[in-house]
């Protein structure tokens, strides 16, 4: 469970209702939710927050316009036509961020990384081709500038590198097959890797 009132409430929370039927039941805070809170806290760095907001705005840009989505699909097809079969882009859509689950955010990060070139091509096309409304042109140029900025690229690659280690752990913590000892072992291994990575960054 998490710490929201509807789950942890002393009298009417879900945990309290469970205890009425099973007095020995233990209220246990969800480890995956804890990890999600840690990741959200670590993302309070201004540059990381700006990078994540750019990805969120990019998802909104495509989500509510079938015309923009079709243009992106065409750019993906054009890029795929120049690649070998094993390096072709599998996804044809760029989805909006899930605000509450970091596992889904990392999926969006992975998709963006794979679709980076066609997304740039699409935004450039929308900003220069005839037939697009002023709002689409303005937003596409603004997003293009944001996602090609050097600070954005560095922050994106940093987030993808570090959060990539945590993706598997988060999925395991949400599953039913992971026992307590395995969970602690995974956490210790990932902590060691991340501490080593941070240490190497200074050398």
């Amino acid at each position: 469970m998490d710490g929201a009132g509807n789950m942890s409430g002393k009298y009417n929370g879900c945990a309290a209702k469970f205890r009425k039927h099973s007095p020995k039941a233990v209220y246990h805070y969800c480890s995956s939710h804890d990890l999600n809170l840690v990741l959200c806290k670590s993302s309070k760095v201004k540059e990381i927050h700006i990078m994540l907001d750019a990805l969120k705005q990019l998802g909104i840009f495509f989500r509510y316009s079938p015309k923009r989505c079709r243009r992106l699909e065409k750019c993906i097809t054009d890029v795929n036509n120049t690649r070998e079969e094993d390096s072709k882009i599998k996804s044809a859509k760029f989805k909006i961020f899930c605000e509450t689950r970091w596992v889904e955010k990392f999926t969006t990060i992975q998709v963006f990384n794979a679709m980076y070139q066609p997304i740039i091509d699409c935004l450039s096309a929308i900003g220069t081709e005839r037939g697009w409304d002023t709002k689409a042109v303005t937003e596409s140029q603004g997003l293009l500038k944001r996602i090609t900025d050097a600070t954005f690229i560095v922050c994106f690659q940093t987030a993808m590198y570090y959060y990539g280690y945590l993706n598997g752990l988060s999925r395991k913590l949400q599953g039913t097959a992971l026992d307590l000892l395995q969970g602690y072992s995974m956490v210790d291994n990932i902590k060691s890797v991340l501490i080593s990575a941070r240490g190497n960054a200074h050398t």
Side-chain angles (χ1 to χ4, degrees):
M1 302 179 183
D2 60 28
N6 61 341
M7 299 299 288
S8 62
K10 185 176 180 181
Y11 301 106
N12 295 315
C14 183
K17 293 183 182 295
F18 265 109
R19 288 200 186 97
K20 287 180 182 178
H21 295 282
S22 181
K24 293 184 178 181
V26 178
Y27 170 76
H28 183 71
Y29 202 91
C30 174
S31 297
S32 182
H33 189 73
D34 255 347
L35 178 59
N36 181 72
L37 293 176
V38 170
L39 291 172
C40 289
K41 185 73 173 178
S42 70
S43 300
K44 294 298 183 181
V45 178
K46 182 182 72 173
E47 290 79 6
I48 296 291
H49 179 76
I50 291 172
M51 181 273 294
L52 294 174
D53 181 69
L55 294 184
K56 177 182 176 181
Q57 296 305 319
L58 189 66
I60 294 172
F61 178 78
F62 287 111
R63 181 175 183 175
Y64 300 108
S65 173
K67 182 179 178 181
R68 298 173 190 175
C69 289
R70 288 193 299 271
R71 191 65 183 87
L72 177 59
E73 290 171 6
K74 183 180 184 306
C75 289
I76 292 172
T77 300
D78 291 342
V79 170
N80 279 341
N81 287 338
T82 67
R83 295 184 176 182
E84 299 294 332
E85 191 62 36
D86 59 348
S87 62
K88 289 187 177 181
I89 300 167
K90 303 297 189 295
S91 177
K93 294 185 181 297
F94 184 77
K95 297 180 180 179
I96 195 170
F97 259 152
C98 174
E99 291 293 335
T100 56
R101 296 183 64 187
W102 258 98
V103 171
E104 303 305 326
K105 281 189 177 182
F106 185 70
T107 300
T108 302
I109 287 173
Q110 288 178 306
V111 171
F112 176 78
N113 187 59
M115 296 173 62
Y116 187 66
Q117 186 57 55
I119 286 175
I120 289 177
D121 294 344
C122 180
L123 294 176
S124 298
I126 292 174
T128 57
E129 293 175 347
R130 292 183 178 182
W132 293 97
D133 59 89
T134 303
K135 185 173 183 294
V137 172
T138 303
E139 290 182 357
S140 67
Q141 292 302 292
L143 287 168
L144 181 62
K145 184 176 180 179
R146 292 181 72 178
I147 68 172
T148 55
D149 178 74
T151 302
F152 173 92
I153 294 172
V154 170
C155 290
F156 175 80
Q157 292 298 330
T158 301
M160 185 170 177
Y161 177 80
Y162 280 103
Y163 297 149
Y165 286 108
L166 299 165
N167 183 47
L169 175 62
S170 185
R171 292 185 184 279
K172 286 284 188 179
L173 291 174
Q174 292 181 50
T176 58
L178 185 69
D179 67 35
L180 190 61
L181 293 178
Q182 287 177 323
Y184 275 115
S185 178
M186 286 187 70
V187 170
D188 287 340
N189 289 339
I190 291 173
K191 283 173 65 177
S192 296
V193 170
L194 296 182
I195 290 171
S196 176
R198 290 188 65 180
N200 292 335
H202 296 290
T203 60

